[in-house]
Amino acid sequence: MSGLAPIEPVLLSRRGKPDSASIETYLEDGGYASWKKVLGGAKSGEWTPAKVTDLVKASGLRGRGGAGFPCGMKWTFVPPKEKRGDKPVYLLCNADESEPGTFKDRLLMEMDPHQVLEGMMLASFALDVKHAYLYIRGEMVHVAELLNKAVADAYAKGFLGKDVLGSGRNLDITIHRGAGAYICGEETALIESLEGKRGHPRIKPPFPAVSGVWECPTVVNNVETLCCVKHILDRGPEWFKSIGRNEKNTGPKLYCISGHVEKPGVYEAPLGVSWNTLLAMAGGVKGGRKLKAVIPGGPSAAMLTAKEVENLPMDFDGVAAAKSMLGSAAIIVMDETTDIPKAVTSIAKFFAHESCGQCTPCREGTPWMHKMLKRIVNGEGKKTDLDLLLQIAGQMGNGMTICVFADAAIAPVLSGITKFREEFEAYVAKSNHPDFALAAPEDLTNKVADRTAAGIHS
Amino acid sequence: MAKVTVDGKVVEVPNDANALEACRAAGVDVPHFCYHPRLSIVGQCRMCMVEVEGVPKIQASCTVPVRDGMVIKASTEKALAARNATMEFLLINHPLDCPICDQAGECKLQDNAVGAGLPVSRTSEPRRQFPGYDRTPIGPHVIADMTRCIQCTRCIRFCEEITGTGELTFVERGGHTFVWTHEGRALDNDLSACAADVCPVGALTTKEFRFRKRVWWLDKTRSVCDGCEIGCNMSIEHRDRIVYRTLPRVQPAVNDFWMCDYGRFRAEDLNRQDFLKPEIRVAGSDARKQTNWGEALDVVKIAIDRARNEEKNIASKGRVLVLGSARLTTEENWLLKTLFEDSLKVGTPEFVVDKGPKRRIKNKVDGWIYGTEAAPNSRGCEAAGLKRNRPGDGSALDLLLSKKSFSSSSPAVLYIADAAFTERANDLEFVLLLRQASVLIVHARVKNALTDAADIVLPSAPLSGKEGTFVNAKGRVQRVDTAIMSPPVVRTDLEILLHLGGRWDLLDTRWTARDVFENMQASVAGYEGLAWDSDAVVGNPPSISPAAAYDVLGLERDPDVEVFSRPSVAAPDRRS
C-alpha cells in the first residue's frame, strides 16, 4: 500500500460527531486508552518514559508547528535527571496558532480538546513533566473556555491531578491565554510570554530544552504534534510510518486550504500528498479559473507559481526542495485574478504589524518594506523601488535577527517580486511619483555599489 | 582564559567574555549600541555583527560566548555589509537634526554612522514620529524624546538590573516600539540620570544639562564627588571657568559606571563664589571691609599670636581652636595639623562630620555600597591626625558647643578652615555658640550664617578649583584635579594655609598639593608608598562619551581610544 493512498481521518476522526468536545463521547470512542495503558504499566516498568520516547522516535513524527523538527529527537535534548538536578521539566503545548491561513489547531481544540490533552499527558509522561501548559492564542476566547472545561473534566475523572489513576504520578495542565501576538508562536517568545514578560524571542543557545521557561528544561510542541503522539501510542509507530511519502515524512497531516478554492477548509491527508490531489480534495480552483500562485505554508513561506507547485509533494522536504516551506501547511491558493503586488503588500503589512520590535533590521525593515509596497500599489512607485526592496529584504534575514521572523517577512516579498516582477513593474510604469516628472532619477543604488567598491563607507 | 583569534590576531580573554569583548581586547573595534559591560546581553541592536568560523550565519558578537580556539572574523565584507545594513535601518527613521540635538558630539549613532554607515540615504518614506512622546520629562531629571530612540533597551535594563526599580518599559511593538515609564510612574530613582548616560543617542537627556553647552567645547577634568564618603569618581566638564556638568568616571572598585543624582547635580553649586576678596572686620563696627591677602593674613597671624601668648601666660588650653573639615582634602587638613598642632602648638585641630541621607552606589565587586556622611573625606581627616568631634568627649569644641563656657575660657581665636563644614553653619543658635570666640576666622566660598558672623573671611576655591586627595569609605586614596582656576584673589584652602604658615616662616609657600602629598606620606596612614601620579590614585580618564562602555574586564585597553575605526582605505580625491 502506498503511503500516499487516501486515509481514513485520524486526527479529525471525531469531527462532526455530536458533542465531540465532551469527555463522555471521547471516552465512548476509546479515548484516554493510551493514557490508562501507559500509566497502568508504569508501576510494573512495562511502560517507561524512554519507551514512549522511543515509540515517537520510531514513528518518524516531525513537529507540525512549522519547522518540521523530529519530535522524538527534540525530547531527547532534555538533560537527563543527573544533569538537570532538581529542576523540573516543563511541557508547553503551542496553541498560539497565528499564521494567517492556519486554522488546524483551533479545529482540533474545538472539536476534540481531549485528544489534545491526552497527547499532552503522554508527552508529559515521556518527559517526566509534572506541570504542562497549553499556551493558547489570546483571540481564541471560546476555545480557551472549552479547553478549561475539558481540563476540569479530566481532573474530575482522575486523568489529571495528584496520583493520576493510582500510578503515583502527578500531572497538572494549565491553559494560559496569550495576549494576541503572532510572535508568541515562536517558542522562546512563547516562553517569555508565559513568564509574564513581553513576547520577545530569546537568544539561542541556550535552547529551551536546556533552559526554557523559568530557566528549566522545556519542550514546546505544537497541538497537532501532540495529537499525533496520542495516535502513535494508540496504534503504534509502524502504522504511523505506513502513512506518508517516505521515511522522513510520515503520518497524517492536516492541511489548511484557503483562498481561491471551491471548498476551503482543513483536510487530512498523508504527509507528502501531491499538490494536485490536495487541490482536488478542496474542489479545485474556484470557478474553474486558472491557478496563479500558491503560498504553501502561510505568508512566511515563499510563494510558488502554478508551474512550481504542479505535482509537488506537500511535505517538509518536498516543499523545501521547491525553495519554500511547508510551515504549518497553511495553503493559500491564488487564482489568475489575484493582484500579486497587492497580496504581497497585504502580507508585508501583517509582518510590519507583528514584528516584536526587538531587533533593528526587523523592526525598521518590515515597516519600510510595507511603506514602499504601499506606495507602489498606490501608484507612486519609483523605478529603483523594486531593486531596493530586494536589497532591503536581502539585508534583513539570514542571521541578522534573533529569531526567524525577519526571514519569514522577507520570503513573500522576495518571492513575489522575483516571480511576478512584471506585475510590480506594471504598477511602477503607471506611477505618478513626482520623481518621474524630473529628468532621469539618480540611481542611488548604483551609487552605493560604486562607493562600496571604492571602500569608502565600508 | 580562552585563546581567541580576531582578524588574525590572537588574544587571551576570560572564559566568560563574549566575542565583542574579545574583538575589543584585540584592538578591533566592533561598533555596538545595546551592549554594555554592566547590563545583560540582549543582542538586539544587531550592530556588532561578525563572522565566526564554523558558524554559517552571521552573528551578533555580543551574543557569542568565547571558547578556546574560536576564530572571529570581524572585518570581512560580510560583516561590514551587515553593519552597514543595521546602520541603514537605524537611520531610516532617526531624525536628521544632529545640529539641534543635544547629544550631538557624544552620540554613538553619529559615531557609528561615520564608521559604519552608508554615504547616502536610500529611503524616501516619511519618518516615524511619536507625537506626545517627544521632549517630555519622564522624571525629575530626565527628558525623553522618543523620535531619537533606537530601542537598544539599555535604559530599561539599567532600571531593572542596576537600580532594581524598573520604571521603564517598552510600549507598543514593531516599528512603533518606544521606551516609556510604566503607567503612572516617573523615572525617579536615586540614580535616574545614569539612564541618560547609558543612552547612546539623544533619546534620554538630563534636564539640567540639556542645551547648555555643545559637548565638544567642554573640557573634562578628573575629580571625585564630594557629596558623601563613597567618593564616586567623576569628571568635571567645564568651559570658560563655568562648570556645566559632572559625569561619572569609570571606577570598577567604587562607582563603576554610575553616579547618584544627588552627587551629579551638585555641579551647579560649583559655580557659586560669594567671596571674591578677603574680608576683615572694621574695628568697633558690625561691618567688614574687603582687603588684600597681605593684610588679611597679617591680621590672622596677629590674632593667633596674641592668643598663643595669652595661653602661655594663663596656661589654659584651647585658646586657639582650629576646625578642619571633612570636605577639604587630606593635604589641606594635614597642613592645618602641621601648622597649628606641630608648629604653633595650639592643640589638635578637630573636625565635625554631618550625618547625611543614605547615599548608595553599585559596583560589581561590592554590590551596593553606602555613604552616610555628608562629606567625602572624614577618613582622610583622621589619617592626617585631626580629631573627630563626638558630642560629650570633653574636647575644646565640645566645651564650646555645650553652652557651658560663656566665660573667659572661650577660645580667643576660632579658626574654621571651611565655613560650610556642617549644615548647622546656617543655624543662628549654633553660630552663636561658635561666636563665643573672640576672633572668628573662616575660609569661605558660599555665604551662610557663620560667614555673616565671622570677623575674618578668607575666600576659598570650590572643589573644581583645587587639587588634592580624598580617602573614601573603603580607605581608597583618590585624587581630584584642578578643573578651573578660580577668579584672581580667590585661593584654594591649601594656598591659604601655606601662605599663613609662611607668615611665621613655618611652611614653604611654593609648595603644591603634590609637594604636600609627598611630604605627608610618611606620617599619614594609608598614604604610604602611593605615588601622586599612580593609576590607583588618579583613576581612569574621563570617557569621551557618557554612553561609552569601554571595557573594564581587566583587558588591556586605553579607554581614551574610543569608538569606531575606519578601515584603512584611502578616500578618493574629491578635488578632481
Tab-separated table of all heavy atoms in Angstrom, chain A residues 198 203 353-355 358-360 363-364 371-372 375 382 388 391 395 399-400 402 448 451 456-458, chain B residues 42 44-46 84 88-90 93 117 119-120 122 124-126 128 150-151 170 172-174 567:
chain	number	residue	atom	x	y	z
A	198	ARG	N	7.187	40.576	28.014
A	198	ARG	CA	6.850	40.846	26.627
A	198	ARG	C	7.287	39.675	25.775
A	198	ARG	O	8.302	39.043	26.043
A	198	ARG	CB	7.599	42.091	26.138
A	198	ARG	CG	6.978	43.395	26.493
A	198	ARG	CD	7.879	44.509	26.050
A	198	ARG	NE	7.892	44.690	24.608
A	198	ARG	CZ	7.055	45.478	23.937
A	198	ARG	NH1	6.148	46.156	24.590
A	198	ARG	NH2	7.125	45.597	22.635
A	203	ILE	N	17.700	34.846	22.770
A	203	ILE	CA	18.904	34.452	22.036
A	203	ILE	C	19.124	32.969	22.273
A	203	ILE	O	19.032	32.500	23.402
A	203	ILE	CB	20.116	35.248	22.554
A	203	ILE	CG1	19.895	36.744	22.386
A	203	ILE	CG2	21.375	34.812	21.855
A	203	ILE	CD1	20.849	37.591	23.189
A	353	HIS	N	3.170	44.824	11.205
A	353	HIS	CA	2.338	44.973	12.392
A	353	HIS	C	2.762	44.019	13.505
A	353	HIS	O	2.634	44.321	14.685
A	353	HIS	CB	0.885	44.695	12.005
A	353	HIS	CG	-0.084	44.864	13.133
A	353	HIS	ND1	-0.334	46.086	13.703
A	353	HIS	CD2	-0.849	43.980	13.791
A	353	HIS	CE1	-1.219	45.936	14.661
A	353	HIS	NE2	-1.543	44.667	14.754
A	354	GLU	N	3.265	42.854	13.125
A	354	GLU	CA	3.528	41.809	14.115
A	354	GLU	C	4.973	41.714	14.569
A	354	GLU	O	5.273	40.962	15.491
A	354	GLU	CB	3.066	40.450	13.578
A	354	GLU	CG	1.552	40.319	13.447
A	354	GLU	CD	0.837	40.309	14.803
A	354	GLU	OE1	1.497	40.218	15.846
A	354	GLU	OE2	-0.407	40.423	14.798
A	355	SER	N	5.886	42.454	13.939
A	355	SER	CA	7.280	42.416	14.392
A	355	SER	C	7.328	42.824	15.860
A	355	SER	O	6.642	43.749	16.278
A	355	SER	CB	8.111	43.392	13.562
A	355	SER	OG	9.354	43.603	14.192
A	358	GLN	N	12.195	44.049	18.587
A	358	GLN	CA	13.424	43.842	19.326
A	358	GLN	C	14.659	44.146	18.467
A	358	GLN	O	15.466	44.975	18.825
A	358	GLN	CB	13.439	42.398	19.838
A	358	GLN	CG	14.395	42.185	20.965
A	358	GLN	CD	14.411	40.759	21.483
A	358	GLN	OE1	14.990	40.510	22.485
A	358	GLN	NE2	13.786	39.820	20.793
A	359	CYS	N	14.784	43.466	17.346
A	359	CYS	CA	15.986	43.618	16.525
A	359	CYS	C	15.800	44.719	15.486
A	359	CYS	O	14.760	44.810	14.837
A	359	CYS	CB	16.313	42.330	15.793
A	359	CYS	SG	16.451	40.922	16.868
A	360	THR	N	16.852	45.480	15.308
A	360	THR	CA	16.775	46.619	14.405
A	360	THR	C	16.347	46.249	12.978
A	360	THR	O	15.420	46.858	12.445
A	360	THR	CB	18.135	47.336	14.388
A	360	THR	OG1	18.476	47.653	15.736
A	360	THR	CG2	18.075	48.587	13.556
A	363	ARG	N	12.576	45.367	13.012
A	363	ARG	CA	11.726	46.448	13.490
A	363	ARG	C	11.637	47.570	12.461
A	363	ARG	O	10.582	48.147	12.230
A	363	ARG	CB	12.314	47.001	14.800
A	363	ARG	CG	11.517	48.147	15.404
A	363	ARG	CD	12.222	48.714	16.623
A	363	ARG	NE	13.473	49.368	16.281
A	363	ARG	CZ	14.651	49.065	16.778
A	363	ARG	NH1	14.772	48.110	17.666
A	363	ARG	NH2	15.747	49.697	16.397
A	364	GLU	N	12.779	47.903	11.850
A	364	GLU	CA	12.809	49.008	10.904
A	364	GLU	C	12.523	48.530	9.483
A	364	GLU	O	11.941	49.258	8.686
A	364	GLU	CB	14.187	49.692	10.941
A	364	GLU	CG	14.615	50.163	12.321
A	364	GLU	CD	13.778	51.323	12.831
A	364	GLU	OE1	13.094	51.972	12.024
A	364	GLU	OE2	13.802	51.560	14.061
A	371	LYS	N	5.846	50.253	3.664
A	371	LYS	CA	5.624	51.614	3.153
A	371	LYS	C	5.915	51.683	1.651
A	371	LYS	O	5.176	52.316	0.891
A	371	LYS	CB	6.540	52.602	3.887
A	371	LYS	CG	6.047	53.034	5.258
A	371	LYS	CD	7.070	53.992	5.863
A	371	LYS	CE	6.768	54.315	7.314
A	371	LYS	NZ	7.873	55.078	7.932
A	372	MET	N	7.015	51.028	1.243
A	372	MET	CA	7.369	51.078	-0.179
A	372	MET	C	6.338	50.354	-1.015
A	372	MET	O	5.915	50.845	-2.068
A	372	MET	CB	8.756	50.466	-0.384
A	372	MET	CG	9.862	51.362	0.131
A	372	MET	SD	11.469	50.650	-0.144
A	372	MET	CE	11.580	50.775	-1.902
A	375	ARG	N	3.249	52.287	-1.372
A	375	ARG	CA	3.440	53.380	-2.326
A	375	ARG	C	3.362	52.851	-3.759
A	375	ARG	O	2.737	53.472	-4.629
A	375	ARG	CB	4.803	54.034	-2.061
A	375	ARG	CG	4.973	55.394	-2.647
A	375	ARG	CD	6.061	56.196	-1.939
A	375	ARG	NE	7.297	55.469	-1.677
A	375	ARG	CZ	8.160	55.093	-2.604
A	375	ARG	NH1	7.925	55.372	-3.871
A	375	ARG	NH2	9.258	54.432	-2.277
A	382	LYS	N	8.663	54.063	-7.605
A	382	LYS	CA	9.793	54.597	-8.357
A	382	LYS	C	10.484	53.427	-9.039
A	382	LYS	O	10.396	52.286	-8.601
A	382	LYS	CB	10.780	55.288	-7.407
A	382	LYS	CG	10.253	56.595	-6.880
A	382	LYS	CD	11.360	57.363	-6.163
A	382	LYS	CE	11.650	56.804	-4.790
A	382	LYS	NZ	12.665	57.584	-4.072
A	388	LEU	N	15.498	48.094	-4.762
A	388	LEU	CA	15.747	48.481	-3.370
A	388	LEU	C	15.028	47.524	-2.418
A	388	LEU	O	15.601	47.078	-1.417
A	388	LEU	CB	15.283	49.925	-3.153
A	388	LEU	CG	15.526	50.514	-1.757
A	388	LEU	CD1	16.981	50.364	-1.355
A	388	LEU	CD2	15.126	51.976	-1.711
A	391	GLN	N	16.929	44.491	-2.147
A	391	GLN	CA	18.147	44.681	-1.348
A	391	GLN	C	17.834	44.778	0.146
A	391	GLN	O	18.543	44.209	0.967
A	391	GLN	CB	18.877	45.943	-1.809
A	391	GLN	CG	19.602	45.721	-3.110
A	391	GLN	CD	20.308	46.968	-3.586
A	391	GLN	OE1	20.473	47.925	-2.851
A	391	GLN	NE2	20.725	46.948	-4.832
A	395	GLN	N	19.028	42.208	3.233
A	395	GLN	CA	19.863	42.514	4.397
A	395	GLN	C	19.100	42.393	5.713
A	395	GLN	O	19.503	42.942	6.720
A	395	GLN	CB	20.541	43.885	4.246
A	395	GLN	CG	19.598	45.053	4.084
A	395	GLN	CD	20.329	46.324	3.664
A	395	GLN	OE1	21.262	46.283	2.882
A	395	GLN	NE2	19.917	47.457	4.195
A	399	GLY	N	20.331	35.425	9.822
A	399	GLY	CA	21.163	35.658	10.995
A	399	GLY	C	21.230	37.107	11.413
A	399	GLY	O	21.839	37.442	12.417
A	400	MET	N	20.612	37.991	10.660
A	400	MET	CA	20.644	39.406	11.044
A	400	MET	C	19.768	39.679	12.264
A	400	MET	O	19.872	40.735	12.875
A	400	MET	CB	20.195	40.283	9.878
A	400	MET	CG	21.258	40.501	8.822
A	400	MET	SD	22.711	41.361	9.452
A	400	MET	CE	22.101	43.053	9.571
A	402	ILE	N	17.429	37.984	15.836
A	402	ILE	CA	17.474	36.927	16.846
A	402	ILE	C	16.632	35.730	16.400
A	402	ILE	O	17.063	34.586	16.481
A	402	ILE	CB	16.984	37.475	18.201
A	402	ILE	CG1	18.000	38.473	18.759
A	402	ILE	CG2	16.770	36.326	19.206
A	402	ILE	CD1	17.562	39.182	20.013
A	448	VAL	N	25.658	53.649	-4.408
A	448	VAL	CA	26.103	52.971	-3.203
A	448	VAL	C	27.052	51.847	-3.566
A	448	VAL	O	28.107	51.671	-2.970
A	448	VAL	CB	24.900	52.426	-2.406
A	448	VAL	CG1	25.378	51.531	-1.274
A	448	VAL	CG2	24.079	53.564	-1.863
A	451	ARG	N	30.406	53.147	-4.498
A	451	ARG	CA	31.171	53.617	-3.349
A	451	ARG	C	31.616	52.449	-2.483
A	451	ARG	O	32.686	52.486	-1.888
A	451	ARG	CB	30.363	54.622	-2.549
A	451	ARG	CG	30.132	55.888	-3.354
A	451	ARG	CD	29.275	56.858	-2.599
A	451	ARG	NE	29.983	57.402	-1.457
A	451	ARG	CZ	30.352	58.672	-1.354
A	451	ARG	NH1	30.085	59.530	-2.311
A	451	ARG	NH2	30.981	59.098	-0.291
A	456	ILE	N	34.625	53.197	0.386
A	456	ILE	CA	34.512	54.490	1.061
A	456	ILE	C	33.831	54.379	2.409
A	456	ILE	O	34.308	54.882	3.407
A	456	ILE	CB	33.774	55.493	0.157
A	456	ILE	CG1	34.628	55.764	-1.068
A	456	ILE	CG2	33.511	56.792	0.911
A	456	ILE	CD1	33.941	56.550	-2.119
A	457	HIS	N	32.733	53.690	2.453
A	457	HIS	CA	31.957	53.735	3.696
A	457	HIS	C	32.031	52.447	4.474
A	457	HIS	O	31.517	52.358	5.554
A	457	HIS	CB	30.499	53.999	3.353
A	457	HIS	CG	29.903	52.915	2.526
A	457	HIS	ND1	30.038	52.896	1.168
A	457	HIS	CD2	29.231	51.805	2.880
A	457	HIS	CE1	29.450	51.793	0.713
A	457	HIS	NE2	28.962	51.128	1.714
A	458	SER	N	32.680	51.444	3.865
A	458	SER	CA	32.527	50.133	4.479
A	458	SER	C	33.325	50.009	5.750
A	458	SER	O	34.190	50.772	6.044
A	458	SER	CB	32.932	49.049	3.509
A	458	SER	OG	34.199	49.358	2.992
B	42	VAL	N	21.410	41.446	25.385
B	42	VAL	CA	20.149	41.215	24.696
B	42	VAL	C	20.349	41.000	23.194
B	42	VAL	O	19.496	40.429	22.530
B	42	VAL	CB	19.148	42.363	24.921
B	42	VAL	CG1	18.625	42.349	26.334
B	42	VAL	CG2	19.771	43.700	24.591
B	44	GLN	N	20.117	42.866	20.610
B	44	GLN	CA	19.029	43.261	19.728
B	44	GLN	C	19.303	44.462	18.838
B	44	GLN	O	18.515	44.739	17.964
B	44	GLN	CB	17.745	43.472	20.529
B	44	GLN	CG	17.829	44.514	21.608
B	44	GLN	CD	16.595	44.456	22.489
B	44	GLN	OE1	16.131	43.386	22.868
B	44	GLN	NE2	16.051	45.602	22.800
B	45	CYS	N	20.428	45.146	19.036
B	45	CYS	CA	20.664	46.252	18.108
B	45	CYS	C	21.222	45.722	16.791
B	45	CYS	O	21.112	46.380	15.772
B	45	CYS	CB	21.598	47.294	18.709
B	45	CYS	SG	23.330	46.801	18.803
B	46	ARG	N	21.810	44.548	16.823
B	46	ARG	CA	22.346	43.875	15.633
B	46	ARG	C	23.410	44.717	14.935
B	46	ARG	O	23.521	44.695	13.709
B	46	ARG	CB	21.233	43.504	14.641
B	46	ARG	CG	20.029	42.859	15.246
B	46	ARG	CD	20.332	41.713	16.154
B	46	ARG	NE	20.681	40.468	15.495
B	46	ARG	CZ	20.968	39.348	16.153
B	46	ARG	NH1	20.942	39.321	17.471
B	46	ARG	NH2	21.293	38.254	15.504
B	84	ASN	N	26.640	47.811	7.913
B	84	ASN	CA	26.067	48.842	7.044
B	84	ASN	C	24.559	48.746	7.037
B	84	ASN	O	23.851	49.742	7.102
B	84	ASN	CB	26.551	48.627	5.614
B	84	ASN	CG	27.817	49.409	5.336
B	84	ASN	OD1	28.172	50.300	6.099
B	84	ASN	ND2	28.477	49.081	4.264
B	88	GLU	N	21.843	51.436	8.292
B	88	GLU	CA	20.834	51.990	7.385
B	88	GLU	C	19.450	51.884	8.008
B	88	GLU	O	18.666	52.835	7.991
B	88	GLU	CB	20.872	51.258	6.045
B	88	GLU	CG	19.801	51.757	5.091
B	88	GLU	CD	19.954	51.217	3.682
B	88	GLU	OE1	20.328	50.031	3.557
B	88	GLU	OE2	19.687	51.972	2.727
B	89	PHE	N	19.172	50.715	8.598
B	89	PHE	CA	17.848	50.527	9.216
B	89	PHE	C	17.640	51.506	10.367
B	89	PHE	O	16.557	52.044	10.560
B	89	PHE	CB	17.695	49.094	9.722
B	89	PHE	CG	17.457	48.100	8.613
B	89	PHE	CD1	18.244	46.973	8.486
B	89	PHE	CD2	16.430	48.291	7.697
B	89	PHE	CE1	18.024	46.061	7.470
B	89	PHE	CE2	16.199	47.390	6.686
B	89	PHE	CZ	17.009	46.269	6.569
B	90	LEU	N	18.698	51.741	11.134
B	90	LEU	CA	18.551	52.653	12.274
B	90	LEU	C	18.309	54.084	11.814
B	90	LEU	O	17.642	54.857	12.480
B	90	LEU	CB	19.806	52.607	13.145
B	90	LEU	CG	19.940	51.392	14.051
B	90	LEU	CD1	21.314	51.364	14.700
B	90	LEU	CD2	18.870	51.401	15.125
B	93	ASN	N	14.564	56.017	10.136
B	93	ASN	CA	13.538	56.726	10.891
B	93	ASN	C	14.105	57.717	11.894
B	93	ASN	O	13.355	58.433	12.541
B	93	ASN	CB	12.654	55.723	11.631
B	93	ASN	CG	11.584	55.173	10.717
B	93	ASN	OD1	10.879	55.927	10.057
B	93	ASN	ND2	11.491	53.861	10.645
B	117	GLY	N	28.399	53.617	8.454
B	117	GLY	CA	27.163	53.980	7.772
B	117	GLY	C	27.318	54.077	6.268
B	117	GLY	O	28.408	54.008	5.723
B	119	PRO	N	26.980	56.264	2.781
B	119	PRO	CA	27.174	57.684	2.496
B	119	PRO	C	25.910	58.362	1.988
B	119	PRO	O	25.840	59.573	1.918
B	119	PRO	CB	28.259	57.671	1.431
B	119	PRO	CG	28.114	56.352	0.767
B	119	PRO	CD	27.610	55.401	1.784
B	120	VAL	N	24.936	57.581	1.583
B	120	VAL	CA	23.702	58.184	1.068
B	120	VAL	C	22.506	57.524	1.722
B	120	VAL	O	22.601	56.416	2.251
B	120	VAL	CB	23.581	58.001	-0.460
B	120	VAL	CG1	24.563	58.873	-1.178
B	120	VAL	CG2	23.746	56.537	-0.825
B	122	ARG	N	18.834	55.864	1.266
B	122	ARG	CA	18.072	55.250	0.184
B	122	ARG	C	16.580	55.289	0.447
B	122	ARG	O	15.798	54.717	-0.287
B	122	ARG	CB	18.519	53.798	-0.003
B	122	ARG	CG	19.984	53.679	-0.393
B	122	ARG	CD	20.302	52.331	-0.927
B	122	ARG	NE	20.269	51.303	0.124
B	122	ARG	CZ	20.467	50.017	-0.102
B	122	ARG	NH1	20.689	49.583	-1.328
B	122	ARG	NH2	20.436	49.144	0.887
B	124	SER	N	12.918	57.154	1.009
B	124	SER	CA	12.193	58.387	0.708
B	124	SER	C	10.853	58.367	1.437
B	124	SER	O	9.973	59.150	1.140
B	124	SER	CB	11.985	58.521	-0.801
B	124	SER	OG	11.374	57.344	-1.294
B	125	GLU	N	10.719	57.428	2.372
B	125	GLU	CA	9.438	57.329	3.084
B	125	GLU	C	9.406	58.355	4.217
B	125	GLU	O	10.450	58.771	4.712
B	125	GLU	CB	9.274	55.921	3.678
B	125	GLU	CG	9.626	54.778	2.736
B	125	GLU	CD	8.945	54.866	1.397
B	125	GLU	OE1	7.756	55.246	1.351
B	125	GLU	OE2	9.601	54.586	0.365
B	126	PRO	N	8.204	58.737	4.624
B	126	PRO	CA	8.114	59.659	5.753
B	126	PRO	C	8.696	59.019	7.014
B	126	PRO	O	8.562	57.809	7.218
B	126	PRO	CB	6.615	59.905	5.908
B	126	PRO	CG	5.935	58.854	5.122
B	126	PRO	CD	6.889	58.391	4.077
B	128	ARG	N	9.227	58.175	10.982
B	128	ARG	CA	8.311	57.870	12.075
B	128	ARG	C	8.325	58.994	13.119
B	128	ARG	O	9.370	59.531	13.448
B	128	ARG	CB	8.778	56.569	12.712
B	128	ARG	CG	7.920	56.047	13.822
B	128	ARG	CD	8.448	54.698	14.274
B	128	ARG	NE	9.838	54.777	14.731
B	128	ARG	CZ	10.741	53.850	14.490
B	128	ARG	NH1	10.430	52.786	13.817
B	128	ARG	NH2	11.976	53.973	14.935
B	150	ILE	N	16.650	54.522	19.648
B	150	ILE	CA	16.976	53.413	18.752
B	150	ILE	C	16.630	52.067	19.389
B	150	ILE	O	17.098	51.014	18.958
B	150	ILE	CB	18.452	53.430	18.326
B	150	ILE	CG1	19.372	53.392	19.543
B	150	ILE	CG2	18.752	54.654	17.482
B	150	ILE	CD1	20.799	53.043	19.186
B	151	GLN	N	15.826	52.082	20.445
B	151	GLN	CA	15.288	50.871	21.050
B	151	GLN	C	16.372	49.873	21.460
B	151	GLN	O	16.215	48.677	21.274
B	151	GLN	CB	14.274	50.193	20.103
B	151	GLN	CG	12.951	50.899	19.979
B	151	GLN	CD	12.971	52.031	18.959
B	151	GLN	OE1	13.872	52.139	18.159
B	151	GLN	NE2	11.980	52.895	19.016
B	170	PHE	N	9.249	48.878	27.385
B	170	PHE	CA	8.849	49.051	26.001
B	170	PHE	C	7.339	49.227	25.954
B	170	PHE	O	6.609	48.541	26.682
B	170	PHE	CB	9.206	47.801	25.195
B	170	PHE	CG	10.469	47.922	24.389
B	170	PHE	CD1	11.044	46.784	23.827
B	170	PHE	CD2	11.076	49.143	24.150
B	170	PHE	CE1	12.198	46.863	23.061
B	170	PHE	CE2	12.228	49.228	23.392
B	170	PHE	CZ	12.793	48.096	22.845
B	172	GLU	N	4.084	49.486	23.022
B	172	GLU	CA	3.772	49.160	21.629
B	172	GLU	C	4.723	48.083	21.102
B	172	GLU	O	5.501	47.518	21.856
B	172	GLU	CB	3.830	50.416	20.747
B	172	GLU	CG	2.631	51.333	20.922
B	172	GLU	CD	1.379	50.771	20.287
B	172	GLU	OE1	1.492	49.794	19.532
B	172	GLU	OE2	0.279	51.287	20.550
B	173	ARG	N	4.671	47.836	19.814
B	173	ARG	CA	5.576	46.827	19.278
B	173	ARG	C	5.926	47.153	17.835
B	173	ARG	O	5.412	48.105	17.258
B	173	ARG	CB	4.952	45.441	19.423
B	173	ARG	CG	3.951	45.127	18.363
B	173	ARG	CD	3.414	43.705	18.487
B	173	ARG	NE	2.347	43.605	17.510
B	173	ARG	CZ	1.291	42.831	17.620
B	173	ARG	NH1	1.129	42.084	18.673
B	173	ARG	NH2	0.388	42.802	16.677
B	174	GLY	N	6.823	46.325	17.287
B	174	GLY	CA	7.263	46.529	15.913
B	174	GLY	C	7.868	47.914	15.743
B	174	GLY	O	8.536	48.431	16.629
B	567	PRO	N	38.236	51.350	8.271
B	567	PRO	CA	39.203	50.509	7.576
B	567	PRO	C	40.176	51.410	6.812
B	567	PRO	O	39.794	52.493	6.366
B	567	PRO	CB	38.348	49.701	6.612
B	567	PRO	CG	36.963	49.829	7.124
B	567	PRO	CD	36.876	51.123	7.845
